[in-house]
Amino acid sequence: VNEWVKTPYGSLRFIPEAGTSRNPLSFSLISPKKVAYSLVNGLDIQAASKLSSVINISLKDEVPKRAEDIVNGLIAVYDDASVKEKNNIADTTLDFLTERLRTVKHGLDSVDEKLKQYKASTGSVELSSQSDLYLQNKSDNDKKLSDITNQLTLLATIENYVKAKDFTGATLPPTNGIGDPTLPQLLGKLYDDQLKYEQMKSTMGLNHPTVLAQKEEIDRIKPSILENIKNQRENLEASEKNLSTTSGNYTADLASVPQKEQDIVELTRDHNIQGSNYDFLLQKLEEAKLSRLSSITSTRIIDKAETSLFPVSPKKKLVYLGAFFVAFLLAVVLVTLSEMFKRTILYRKEIESYTSVPVVGEIVYQKSKDPLVIGDGKRTFIAEQFRNLRTTLPYIGLSADKKKLQVTSTVSGEGKSFIVANLGIGLALAGKKVVVLEFDLSDPTLSDKLNVVNVNKGLTDYLTGEADPDEIIQRTPVNENLFIMPAGWLPENPSELIMSSKVPELLNYLSDIFDYIIIDTAPVGLLSDAYVLSNYCDATLYVVRHKHTRKASIQRLDANNKINELKNMAIVFNGVRSRGFGKNGYGYGYGYGYIHKEKKKKRRKNQAIY
């Protein structure tokens, strides 16, 4: 700090401001061009109105004081450039007039010397009145010729400027002495357009539409200027011709004057011409000097740059709102992408698109650990769904004569025993005498769900001839109309036992006693038991679980059913979880009409959610 240090970027010295710590300091060097571009992005220049000559300039920057200094500095540089442009024009005029004065003065001095020498050698002093009159007329005529010559010279200079192809570094030629006021106006507009074109070309490039439009504007003005120059030149040349004719007449008249007097008149005439030109140029030179000294900017600053009281960016509310929507959109995208690549069933519409087997019921996901969701006095939504499923049994072919229903699934864990238990309770609540058979001899769970304990004998005992049907039928504690035939001990060959001839005998025996026979079978994706039992059943409920059953299993369901048919098959969509922000939408399909809350008679109607 406060010491000059040599670096690869030059000698640097750091001067601390008040409050700066003396910890190790770091610095960064940024290209001025990059900084300028970053500032331009925050710069805004607009007209106060369409017809106003006032413009409003604003700059957004992290440092308010820096923004003020930049805007004020920008205006200062603009004013300096405007004054510099006017001074360049004045300097060009001064240079032109100074050079012309030098030439005219040299000619005037030469004529003075000749006149002195002639008078001294001849002793001629006075001129006659005729010679004076001739000299006066001749001088006036020559002065007019000189003015025309100067104007023609200026026109030639202006014409060369207009026809030039490269305007880089070119300055506007002087227009003092031009008789037509239109030409200086056109020339000034051309100069402004050329200056703007050069600036735009350096920043935007040659092929930018704005640059091309500016070039077309320049090309449109040039013919007008050249046409004006041509008309003025023709008029000046015609005047010059008339004045030359008049000058010839004066020269012829001079022949009648005596020789000495004639020589003095000639010399005096040249002296007067040079003197008139010299006086004219001196006048114009003084005018140009005054113009140079009085050059001021053509703009006026109405208000200096001032920062706003409060930051204009970032706006916290918009940032928070934008962040919220971005987070929400990101969550939607992530969930959508996640669901697109999931291999399990998420929506009912997927089931309906993969198979022609009808979906006859949806069962929502139940957070409770109690597997029995339906019973006396239970009017929950999931209980109503099982009652709806109960009413669809005639649709899949069950009746008073056809009462055997088997329930299966693809793999374990999809809730088929849960469906069997609650569907059986639902039928028992309707006054039907129901028996459920725990034919999943590989992984039986139905007895536990129905709270059946102290199972001594089961289906395996009957199939092996160790028990009669009456010995294994048990009444469940959940409802007096619901009975169960438990699995019994687990055999090593369950599939072979199920193929026994005792199975149809058992089902026929039960058909004479019960109104409904519901069979809980092993999953078809693991064992063939369900295909064997389907031959003895009247209908099949196939359980598909939300986010558990694989899509490939449902896609192959129709093809598998053609080979090994599951009689009168229908699908139950189980474990459907709520989706979205509401609590009443489940996967895909319908919502529900009325919810009956326990211990309340009030019913509230809900809108269907899709």
Side-chain angles (χ1 to χ4, degrees):
V1 175
N2 290 323
E3 293 183 4
W4 288 102
V5 180
K6 290 184 178 181
T7 71
Y9 313 103
S11 296
L12 303 177
R13 182 174 67 170
F14 294 93
I15 303 174
E17 294 183 352
T20 305
S21 64
R22 295 300 298 270
N23 295 328
L25 304 176
S26 62
F27 68 95
S28 61
L29 296 179
I30 305 175
S31 167
K33 191 172 183 180
K34 291 183 179 179
V35 176
Y37 274 116
S38 65
L39 292 173
V40 166
N41 291 333
L43 186 65
D44 182 38
I45 302 176
Q46 294 182 350
S49 65
K50 292 183 178 180
L51 301 178
S52 174
S53 60
V54 178
I55 61 172
N56 298 321
I57 303 176
S58 62
L59 176 64
K60 294 180 181 179
D61 192 63
E62 295 86 353
V63 184
K65 186 63 172 63
R66 182 171 64 186
E68 286 185 5
D69 294 341
I70 289 174
V71 173
N72 291 329
L74 179 65
I75 297 301
V77 171
Y78 179 81
D79 289 343
D80 290 342
S82 176
V83 172
K84 185 178 180 181
E85 179 184 340
K86 292 182 178 180
N87 289 339
N88 286 337
I89 297 174
D91 290 340
T92 303
T93 304
L94 286 173
D95 293 340
F96 174 77
L97 293 174
T98 302
E99 183 63 30
R100 288 289 298 163
L101 275 171
R102 188 182 296 111
T103 303
V104 172
K105 187 176 184 303
H106 178 73
L108 182 60
D109 292 341
S110 177
V111 172
D112 279 342
E113 186 63 29
K114 287 181 181 179
L115 184 58
K116 288 179 183 179
Q117 290 178 1
Y118 186 81
K119 286 184 176 181
S121 61
T122 59
S124 301
V125 179
E126 298 293 335
L127 294 176
S128 65
S129 59
Q130 182 181 2
S131 299
D132 288 339
L133 179 60
Y134 164 79
L135 186 59
Q136 181 65 37
N137 293 335
K138 184 68 172 174
S139 296
D140 293 342
N141 190 76
D142 289 341
K143 183 179 179 180
K144 293 178 182 180
L145 277 173
S146 177
D147 290 342
I148 291 175
T149 302
N150 288 333
Q151 291 188 50
L152 288 173
T153 303
L154 287 174
L155 290 175
T157 304
I158 294 172
E159 185 176 27
N160 292 333
Y161 170 81
V162 173
K163 291 182 177 180
K165 294 182 178 179
D166 185 11
F167 304 107
T168 305
T171 56
L172 186 67
T175 57
N176 291 335
I178 298 296
D180 189 356
T182 306
L183 182 59
Q185 296 177 2
L186 292 174
L187 198 61
K189 184 164 189 329
L190 176 64
Y191 181 78
D192 292 340
D193 289 344
Q194 288 171 346
L195 187 64
K196 189 184 298 183
Y197 173 73
E198 294 296 331
Q199 293 172 348
M200 294 167 64
K201 184 174 66 173
S202 62
T203 57
M204 299 181 184
L206 288 173
N207 296 324
H208 194 277
T210 307
V211 178
L212 295 176
Q214 186 67 23
K215 183 66 168 61
E216 291 178 359
E217 178 67 16
I218 294 173
D219 294 339
R220 187 182 63 80
I221 295 175
K222 281 185 177 182
S224 301
I225 297 176
L226 294 175
E227 183 65 24
N228 186 286
I229 292 173
K230 178 182 176 182
N231 294 335
Q232 287 197 60
R233 181 182 285 115
E234 289 177 354
N235 293 334
L236 290 174
E237 288 176 349
S239 300
E240 184 182 34
K241 185 177 180 181
N242 292 333
L243 291 173
S244 297
T245 302
T246 304
S247 179
N249 294 334
Y250 286 139
T251 302
D253 294 339
L254 186 62
S256 61
V257 180
Q259 184 62 41
K260 288 184 179 181
E261 196 170 329
Q262 180 178 345
D263 293 338
I264 291 176
V265 168
E266 285 286 348
L267 291 173
T268 303
R269 179 180 65 81
D270 290 342
H271 180 273
N272 290 339
I273 291 173
Q274 297 293 341
S276 298
N277 287 340
Y278 189 75
D279 292 340
F280 173 78
L281 292 174
L282 279 177
Q283 179 185 354
K284 295 299 180 182
L285 182 62
E286 290 300 320
E287 292 176 357
K289 287 181 179 180
L290 289 174
S291 175
R292 176 67 171 81
L293 293 174
S294 61
S295 294
I296 59 173
T297 178
S298 57
T299 60
R300 183 169 66 90
I301 301 174
I302 299 176
D303 290 311
K304 289 283 187 179
E306 291 185 3
T307 56
S308 57
L309 295 177
F310 303 100
V312 296
S313 179
K315 296 181 179 179
K316 290 185 178 180
K317 291 184 179 179
L318 289 178
V319 171
Y320 290 145
L321 187 62
F324 172 77
F325 278 110
V326 169
F328 176 77
L329 182 62
L330 183 61
V332 171
V333 171
L334 290 177
V335 170
T336 303
L337 291 176
S338 174
E339 292 180 350
M340 286 176 59
F341 292 102
K342 276 190 177 295
R343 298 182 179 181
T344 55
I345 295 294
L346 298 176
Y347 304 102
R348 176 174 173 170
K349 63 182 180 182
E350 292 178 323
I351 302 175
E352 294 173 341
S353 64
Y354 294 152
T355 179
S356 60
V357 178
V359 179
V360 295
E362 288 185 11
I363 307 298
V364 300
Y365 173 74
Q366 177 78 0
K367 292 184 178 179
S368 173
K369 294 183 178 180
D370 187 2
L372 303 180
V373 297
I374 186 172
D376 289 327
K378 288 187 177 182
R379 308 297 293 174
T380 59
F381 176 50
I382 190 170
E384 290 300 315
Q385 287 185 313
F386 273 105
R387 290 185 175 95
N388 290 335
L389 179 61
R390 179 182 65 190
T391 62
T392 62
L393 295 182
Y395 170 76
I396 60 175
L398 295 184
S399 63
D401 298 329
K402 298 180 179 180
K403 55 183 71 174
K404 297 182 288 296
L405 172 69
Q406 77 164 345
V407 181
T408 187
S409 63
T410 306
V411 292
S412 61
E414 292 176 317
K416 58 182 180 56
S417 298
F418 168 74
I419 299 294
V420 170
N422 287 280
L423 180 59
I425 295 174
L427 291 169
L429 290 174
K432 304 297 182 181
K433 194 174 182 181
V434 183
V435 61
V436 292
L437 280 64
E438 195 173 24
F439 256 112
D440 188 353
L441 302 181
S442 299
D443 185 21
T445 60
L446 185 59
S447 297
D448 294 336
K449 288 180 171 60
L450 292 174
N451 300 322
V452 176
V453 294
N454 298 323
V455 176
N456 296 320
K457 294 183 179 182
L459 289 170
T460 52
D461 296 286
Y462 167 74
L463 295 176
T464 56
E466 298 176 3
D468 294 327
D470 294 339
E471 297 179 56
I472 59 176
I473 297 177
Q474 298 185 34
R475 189 186 301 272
T476 65
V478 296
N479 192 283
E480 61 180 6
N481 290 329
L482 181 62
F483 298 83
I484 185 173
M485 297 186 74
W489 53 274
L490 301 183
E492 295 182 358
N493 55 341
S495 299
E496 285 72 17
L497 283 177
I498 292 175
M499 296 179 68
S500 169
S501 61
K502 288 181 171 292
V503 173
E505 294 176 3
L506 175 64
L507 295 177
N508 291 331
Y509 171 76
L510 296 175
S511 296
D512 296 333
I513 303 173
F514 296 96
D515 296 322
Y516 284 96
I517 303 168
I518 305 177
I519 304 172
D520 180 14
T521 64
V524 295
L526 303 175
L527 299 171
S528 61
D529 299 1
Y531 294 117
V532 175
L533 291 173
S534 179
N535 296 322
Y536 314 125
C537 295
D538 301 305
T540 302
L541 281 181
Y542 195 96
V543 180
V544 175
R545 186 168 183 176
H546 180 250
K547 287 189 176 181
H548 188 87
T549 305
R550 296 176 67 86
K551 294 179 181 179
S553 301
I554 307 303
Q555 290 171 337
R556 294 195 298 266
L557 191 58
D558 287 350
N560 292 340
N561 204 42
K562 290 180 180 180
I563 300 173
N564 297 309
E565 183 181 6
L566 295 174
K567 194 177 296 182
N568 292 334
M569 183 167 54
I571 292 176
V572 176
F573 195 16
N574 184 37
V576 182
R577 295 176 181 266
S578 60
R579 302 180 56 76
F581 295 106
K583 297 180 180 179
N584 302 334
Y586 299 90
Y588 167 87
Y590 44 81
Y592 52 89
Y594 291 93
I595 295 179
H596 303 270
K597 293 188 175 180
E598 295 182 19
K599 298 181 182 180
K600 289 186 181 181
K601 295 181 179 180
K602 184 179 178 181
R603 300 182 299 177
R604 66 183 174 88
K605 199 169 185 178
N606 289 279
Q607 208 173 19
I609 298 176
Y610 294 91

mmCIF file of all heavy atoms in Angstrom, residues 189-206:
data_model
loop_
_atom_site.group_PDB
_atom_site.id
_atom_site.type_symbol
_atom_site.label_atom_id
_atom_site.label_comp_id
_atom_site.label_asym_id
_atom_site.label_seq_id
_atom_site.Cartn_x
_atom_site.Cartn_y
_atom_site.Cartn_z
ATOM 1 N N LYS A 189 -25.996 19.125 -43.776
ATOM 2 C CA LYS A 189 -26.718 17.865 -43.540
ATOM 3 C C LYS A 189 -25.898 16.672 -44.021
ATOM 4 O O LYS A 189 -25.840 15.623 -43.373
ATOM 5 C CB LYS A 189 -28.068 17.888 -44.232
ATOM 6 C CG LYS A 189 -28.913 16.642 -43.931
ATOM 7 C CD LYS A 189 -30.337 16.837 -44.281
ATOM 8 C CE LYS A 189 -31.219 15.686 -43.779
ATOM 9 N NZ LYS A 189 -30.589 14.388 -43.709
ATOM 10 N N LEU A 190 -25.224 16.820 -45.173
ATOM 11 C CA LEU A 190 -24.384 15.742 -45.681
ATOM 12 C C LEU A 190 -23.252 15.444 -44.704
ATOM 13 O O LEU A 190 -22.937 14.279 -44.435
ATOM 14 C CB LEU A 190 -23.822 16.122 -47.047
ATOM 15 C CG LEU A 190 -22.832 15.125 -47.660
ATOM 16 C CD1 LEU A 190 -23.518 13.793 -47.954
ATOM 17 C CD2 LEU A 190 -22.210 15.692 -48.937
ATOM 18 N N TYR A 191 -22.652 16.509 -44.165
ATOM 19 C CA TYR A 191 -21.549 16.319 -43.221
ATOM 20 C C TYR A 191 -22.025 15.577 -41.965
ATOM 21 O O TYR A 191 -21.363 14.656 -41.484
ATOM 22 C CB TYR A 191 -20.951 17.673 -42.854
ATOM 23 C CG TYR A 191 -19.793 17.580 -41.891
ATOM 24 C CD1 TYR A 191 -18.526 17.203 -42.328
ATOM 25 C CD2 TYR A 191 -19.970 17.863 -40.545
ATOM 26 C CE1 TYR A 191 -17.461 17.115 -41.443
ATOM 27 C CE2 TYR A 191 -18.917 17.770 -39.642
ATOM 28 C CZ TYR A 191 -17.652 17.394 -40.108
ATOM 29 O OH TYR A 191 -16.612 17.302 -39.232
ATOM 30 N N ASP A 192 -23.177 15.988 -41.433
ATOM 31 C CA ASP A 192 -23.730 15.316 -40.250
ATOM 32 C C ASP A 192 -24.032 13.852 -40.535
ATOM 33 O O ASP A 192 -23.739 12.967 -39.719
ATOM 34 C CB ASP A 192 -25.000 16.030 -39.785
ATOM 35 C CG ASP A 192 -24.719 17.421 -39.237
ATOM 36 O OD1 ASP A 192 -23.562 17.671 -38.863
ATOM 37 O OD2 ASP A 192 -25.656 18.258 -39.228
ATOM 38 N N ASP A 193 -24.634 13.585 -41.700
ATOM 39 C CA ASP A 193 -24.955 12.189 -42.058
ATOM 40 C C ASP A 193 -23.696 11.363 -42.239
ATOM 41 O O ASP A 193 -23.643 10.183 -41.850
ATOM 42 C CB ASP A 193 -25.794 12.153 -43.330
ATOM 43 C CG ASP A 193 -27.210 12.660 -43.101
ATOM 44 O OD1 ASP A 193 -27.608 12.747 -41.922
ATOM 45 O OD2 ASP A 193 -27.910 12.987 -44.081
ATOM 46 N N GLN A 194 -22.647 11.979 -42.832
ATOM 47 C CA GLN A 194 -21.393 11.253 -43.013
ATOM 48 C C GLN A 194 -20.739 10.945 -41.668
ATOM 49 O O GLN A 194 -20.215 9.850 -41.455
ATOM 50 C CB GLN A 194 -20.446 12.079 -43.893
ATOM 51 C CG GLN A 194 -20.864 12.141 -45.366
ATOM 52 C CD GLN A 194 -20.028 13.124 -46.148
ATOM 53 O OE1 GLN A 194 -19.330 13.941 -45.565
ATOM 54 N NE2 GLN A 194 -20.110 13.049 -47.464
ATOM 55 N N LEU A 195 -20.782 11.919 -40.770
ATOM 56 C CA LEU A 195 -20.199 11.704 -39.452
ATOM 57 C C LEU A 195 -20.940 10.599 -38.713
ATOM 58 O O LEU A 195 -20.335 9.706 -38.094
ATOM 59 C CB LEU A 195 -20.261 13.017 -38.658
ATOM 60 C CG LEU A 195 -19.541 13.021 -37.303
ATOM 61 C CD1 LEU A 195 -18.049 12.833 -37.498
ATOM 62 C CD2 LEU A 195 -19.807 14.331 -36.560
ATOM 63 N N LYS A 196 -22.252 10.604 -38.784
ATOM 64 C CA LYS A 196 -23.058 9.567 -38.146
ATOM 65 C C LYS A 196 -22.786 8.202 -38.778
ATOM 66 O O LYS A 196 -22.712 7.178 -38.098
ATOM 67 C CB LYS A 196 -24.540 9.923 -38.267
ATOM 68 C CG LYS A 196 -25.466 9.016 -37.453
ATOM 69 C CD LYS A 196 -26.922 9.359 -37.686
ATOM 70 C CE LYS A 196 -27.227 10.774 -37.239
ATOM 71 N NZ LYS A 196 -28.680 11.071 -37.405
ATOM 72 N N TYR A 197 -22.635 8.172 -40.108
ATOM 73 C CA TYR A 197 -22.362 6.927 -40.824
ATOM 74 C C TYR A 197 -21.031 6.318 -40.385
ATOM 75 O O TYR A 197 -20.937 5.108 -40.157
ATOM 76 C CB TYR A 197 -22.360 7.201 -42.323
ATOM 77 C CG TYR A 197 -21.922 6.021 -43.167
ATOM 78 C CD1 TYR A 197 -22.746 4.913 -43.359
ATOM 79 C CD2 TYR A 197 -20.666 6.003 -43.771
ATOM 80 C CE1 TYR A 197 -22.342 3.840 -44.124
ATOM 81 C CE2 TYR A 197 -20.251 4.942 -44.535
ATOM 82 C CZ TYR A 197 -21.095 3.854 -44.716
ATOM 83 O OH TYR A 197 -20.682 2.797 -45.461
ATOM 84 N N GLU A 198 -19.998 7.153 -40.249
ATOM 85 C CA GLU A 198 -18.697 6.652 -39.828
ATOM 86 C C GLU A 198 -18.760 6.071 -38.408
ATOM 87 O O GLU A 198 -18.155 5.042 -38.111
ATOM 88 C CB GLU A 198 -17.649 7.777 -39.892
ATOM 89 C CG GLU A 198 -17.346 8.276 -41.300
ATOM 90 C CD GLU A 198 -16.719 7.189 -42.165
ATOM 91 O OE1 GLU A 198 -16.027 6.304 -41.624
ATOM 92 O OE2 GLU A 198 -16.929 7.223 -43.393
ATOM 93 N N GLN A 199 -19.514 6.743 -37.525
ATOM 94 C CA GLN A 199 -19.648 6.245 -36.156
ATOM 95 C C GLN A 199 -20.406 4.920 -36.119
ATOM 96 O O GLN A 199 -20.008 3.967 -35.437
ATOM 97 C CB GLN A 199 -20.364 7.293 -35.298
ATOM 98 C CG GLN A 199 -19.562 8.571 -35.094
ATOM 99 C CD GLN A 199 -20.371 9.654 -34.406
ATOM 100 O OE1 GLN A 199 -21.585 9.536 -34.268
ATOM 101 N NE2 GLN A 199 -19.698 10.719 -33.989
ATOM 102 N N MET A 200 -21.503 4.850 -36.869
ATOM 103 C CA MET A 200 -22.295 3.622 -36.894
ATOM 104 C C MET A 200 -21.534 2.474 -37.539
ATOM 105 O O MET A 200 -21.628 1.321 -37.116
ATOM 106 C CB MET A 200 -23.613 3.872 -37.634
ATOM 107 C CG MET A 200 -24.539 4.840 -36.910
ATOM 108 S SD MET A 200 -25.906 5.408 -37.938
ATOM 109 C CE MET A 200 -26.767 3.878 -38.200
ATOM 110 N N LYS A 201 -20.767 2.792 -38.568
ATOM 111 C CA LYS A 201 -20.001 1.752 -39.272
ATOM 112 C C LYS A 201 -18.962 1.127 -38.350
ATOM 113 O O LYS A 201 -18.710 -0.088 -38.401
ATOM 114 C CB LYS A 201 -19.342 2.355 -40.509
ATOM 115 C CG LYS A 201 -18.595 1.338 -41.368
ATOM 116 C CD LYS A 201 -18.094 1.964 -42.657
ATOM 117 C CE LYS A 201 -17.030 3.000 -42.373
ATOM 118 N NZ LYS A 201 -16.404 3.504 -43.623
ATOM 119 N N SER A 202 -18.353 1.933 -37.483
ATOM 120 C CA SER A 202 -17.312 1.418 -36.599
ATOM 121 C C SER A 202 -17.890 0.570 -35.465
ATOM 122 O O SER A 202 -17.189 -0.265 -34.898
ATOM 123 C CB SER A 202 -16.507 2.574 -36.009
ATOM 124 O OG SER A 202 -17.347 3.403 -35.228
ATOM 125 N N THR A 203 -19.153 0.786 -35.117
ATOM 126 C CA THR A 203 -19.763 0.043 -34.005
ATOM 127 C C THR A 203 -20.656 -1.094 -34.461
ATOM 128 O O THR A 203 -20.748 -2.126 -33.796
ATOM 129 C CB THR A 203 -20.581 0.998 -33.117
ATOM 130 O OG1 THR A 203 -21.560 1.652 -33.914
ATOM 131 C CG2 THR A 203 -19.672 2.025 -32.458
ATOM 132 N N MET A 204 -21.349 -0.929 -35.612
ATOM 133 C CA MET A 204 -22.333 -1.930 -36.041
ATOM 134 C C MET A 204 -21.847 -2.804 -37.198
ATOM 135 O O MET A 204 -22.353 -3.899 -37.386
ATOM 136 C CB MET A 204 -23.641 -1.232 -36.456
ATOM 137 C CG MET A 204 -24.291 -0.441 -35.361
ATOM 138 S SD MET A 204 -25.834 0.308 -35.943
ATOM 139 C CE MET A 204 -26.297 1.256 -34.482
ATOM 140 N N GLY A 205 -20.915 -2.291 -37.992
ATOM 141 C CA GLY A 205 -20.486 -3.052 -39.168
ATOM 142 C C GLY A 205 -21.160 -2.552 -40.433
ATOM 143 O O GLY A 205 -22.213 -1.896 -40.396
ATOM 144 N N LEU A 206 -20.545 -2.855 -41.574
ATOM 145 C CA LEU A 206 -21.025 -2.331 -42.856
ATOM 146 C C LEU A 206 -22.374 -2.885 -43.259
ATOM 147 O O LEU A 206 -23.156 -2.195 -43.931
ATOM 148 C CB LEU A 206 -19.988 -2.633 -43.958
ATOM 149 C CG LEU A 206 -18.699 -1.810 -43.910
ATOM 150 C CD1 LEU A 206 -17.716 -2.339 -44.940
ATOM 151 C CD2 LEU A 206 -18.995 -0.328 -44.196
#
